[in-house]
Amino acid sequence: MEIGISTFVETTPDVKTGEVISHAQRIREVVEEIVLADQVGLDVFGVGEHHREDYASSSPAVILAGAASQTNNIRLTSAVTVLSSADPVRVFQDFATLDGISNGRAEIMAGRGSFIESFPLFGYDLRDYEELFDEKLDLLLKLQTSEKITWSGKHRPAIENLGVYPRPVQKTLPIWIGSGGNQESVIRAGLLGLPLVLAIIGGSPLHFAPLVELYKKAAEHAGHDSSKLKVASHSHGFIADDTETAADKFFPPTQYAMNKLGKERGWGPYNRSSFDAARSFEGALYVGDADTVAEKIIHLRKEVGIERFMLHVPVGTMPHEDVMRAIELLGTKVAPKVKAEVARWESIQ
């Protein structure tokens, strides 16, 4: 069982002061958060790619590289790389470089993304949304296994027996598929034999159990050993020294961020009752003290089969010291309890 953090490097206004942290400051803070996550023994840190004013991370590999030489053990991944609007060759080169700096700790989480800003920015047509991802994933997977590439497609110039460098330290640079939870994406990941990350950010996490089963069936159908394929979750949450403090600190910035997105996407208002329901034991928010969050992660492992849990914190802008304390508690209190219980439970299965 692996435990880690993910972030989109948010720069929304502070809900108390209205001030907006600069992109540069927030990027520097995230590097400090990655370093702390490594120091407290967390397994993985993921940085998402966005191309909006309220997120400071358009280039996850660069931010991760900023922390790579200051860390020793933690794995460093995108969360996600918006592959549809990226050049797979450049993505591979960036993460192979990160792999060199970190001495073999880089990963790529490839996804289609939940926002569309990158498509007009890089000159892609949204009508090609699905086709772009499939074609570019095909190229990225070839780069993963071959030093010299011959490839042709519809949306990128062909490559004729050209080398792609640098090569990563790892024999195979890990590529995960990020999914919002639709059947087509989990089937694709299974058929390709790639590890899967599920964005479990609403409803009941237990509803994702059938998707995990579908993923494994697809993998087995394609001849892959499903027991060797990992499933991860990316879930919103926050940890403090007591549960009420965690809830009271996490709700205001989360409400701001969710209502801002809600106006763009036609969602209803996000209020405290919705928030409190989501942080119940069966809900998708992992908010509380260390014991509360640990018990929910253990439940997710037992009922859904998640083998890597990534706590997404913060959702909106929060004080850096609060985020650092949450990371500290996740590494020193939550992760040991979860791993001990999972090991005990699996030993009697």
Side-chain angles (χ1 to χ4, degrees):
M1 185 69 183
E2 296 178 316
I3 306 289
I5 294 285
S6 61
T7 182
F8 292 162
V9 198
E10 291 86 347
T11 55
T12 55
D14 184 286
V15 291
K16 291 182 179 179
T17 67
E19 295 180 2
V20 180
I21 189 172
S22 71
H23 289 164
Q25 182 179 341
R26 184 65 192 123
I27 289 168
R28 291 193 298 270
E29 288 181 353
V30 168
V31 171
E32 292 179 8
E33 290 162 14
I34 299 170
V35 171
L36 177 62
D38 182 61
Q39 291 171 347
V40 298
L42 290 173
D43 300 293
V44 60
F45 202 109
V47 176
E49 176 192 346
H50 291 88
H51 300 270
R52 296 165 53 99
E53 184 180 11
D54 45 357
Y55 299 105
S57 176
S58 61
S59 183
V62 176
I63 295 175
L64 294 167
S69 62
Q70 302 180 58
T71 54
N72 298 307
N73 300 305
I74 197 165
R75 299 195 66 78
L76 304 168
T77 183
S78 54
V80 300
T81 292
V82 185
L83 190 60
S84 305
S85 57
D87 182 346
V89 173
R90 202 62 177 141
V91 169
F92 185 87
Q93 290 175 325
D94 286 346
F95 281 86
T97 301
L98 173 63
D99 207 48
I101 297 170
S102 66
N103 195 26
R105 292 183 281 124
E107 300 181 1
I108 299 169
M109 189 189 300
R112 288 171 290 184
S114 59
F115 295 93
I116 61 172
E117 286 82 3
S118 63
F119 287 81
L121 185 62
F122 297 113
Y124 290 102
D125 192 328
L126 277 170
R127 289 174 295 185
D128 300 323
Y129 188 80
E130 296 290 345
E131 194 174 76
L132 279 165
F133 184 78
D134 289 343
E135 180 178 294
K136 293 190 174 191
L137 180 60
D138 175 68
L139 174 54
L140 184 63
L141 293 176
K142 286 182 169 58
L143 294 164
Q144 183 191 40
T145 57
S146 301
E147 180 176 332
K148 288 198 171 182
I149 296 294
T150 296
W151 178 92
S152 64
K154 179 179 176 182
H155 298 283
R156 188 202 186 280
I159 305 172
E160 184 63 37
N161 194 35
L162 296 176
V164 177
Y165 306 102
R167 302 309 298 175
V169 173
Q170 298 172 88
K171 182 178 180 181
T172 302
L173 188 63
I175 297 172
W176 295 64
I177 297 295
S179 170
N182 66 71
Q183 292 187 352
E184 292 78 10
S185 61
V186 303
I187 290 172
R188 177 194 289 113
L191 292 175
L192 292 171
L194 298 175
L196 174 69
V197 185
L198 294 167
I200 303 179
I201 58 175
S204 170
L206 270 59
H207 292 163
F208 285 78
L211 287 174
V212 173
E213 289 303 312
L214 181 62
Y215 163 69
K216 291 183 177 180
K217 287 180 180 177
E220 290 165 359
H221 176 77
H224 303 293
D225 183 351
S226 63
S227 68
K228 295 181 179 179
L229 295 178
K230 290 183 178 180
V231 180
S233 72
H234 151 101
S235 302
H236 295 164
F238 181 70
I239 310 165
D241 293 294
D242 65 83
T243 293
E244 289 309 310
T245 297
D248 290 344
K249 285 188 173 183
F250 192 61
F251 171 67
T254 298
Q255 181 188 41
Y256 179 91
M258 297 300 285
N259 281 337
K260 186 175 189 298
L261 292 178
K263 288 180 181 179
E264 298 175 12
R265 301 183 179 188
W267 301 342
Y270 188 83
N271 53 38
R272 184 61 189 248
S273 61
S274 302
F275 173 83
D276 288 338
R279 67 183 179 93
S280 68
F281 188 68
E282 297 293 342
L285 275 182
Y286 291 75
V287 176
D289 62 16
D291 287 339
T292 297
V293 173
E295 291 298 330
K296 288 191 69 168
I297 297 172
I298 292 165
H299 185 56
L300 185 67
R301 170 59 179 258
K302 291 179 177 179
E303 300 300 325
V304 183
I306 298 300
E307 296 167 285
R308 172 185 279 187
F309 177 87
M310 299 180 72
L311 184 75
H312 183 89
V313 59
V315 172
T317 294
M318 294 185 72
H320 180 47
E321 59 269 23
D322 288 347
V323 177
M324 294 286 273
R325 180 58 177 162
I327 292 170
E328 180 184 0
L329 289 168
L330 185 66
T332 61
K333 302 293 185 183
V334 175
K337 182 173 182 176
V338 171
K339 293 181 180 185
E341 172 56 21
V342 168
R344 186 202 65 79
W345 176 67
E346 290 189 341
S347 71
I348 61 175
Q349 294 303 301

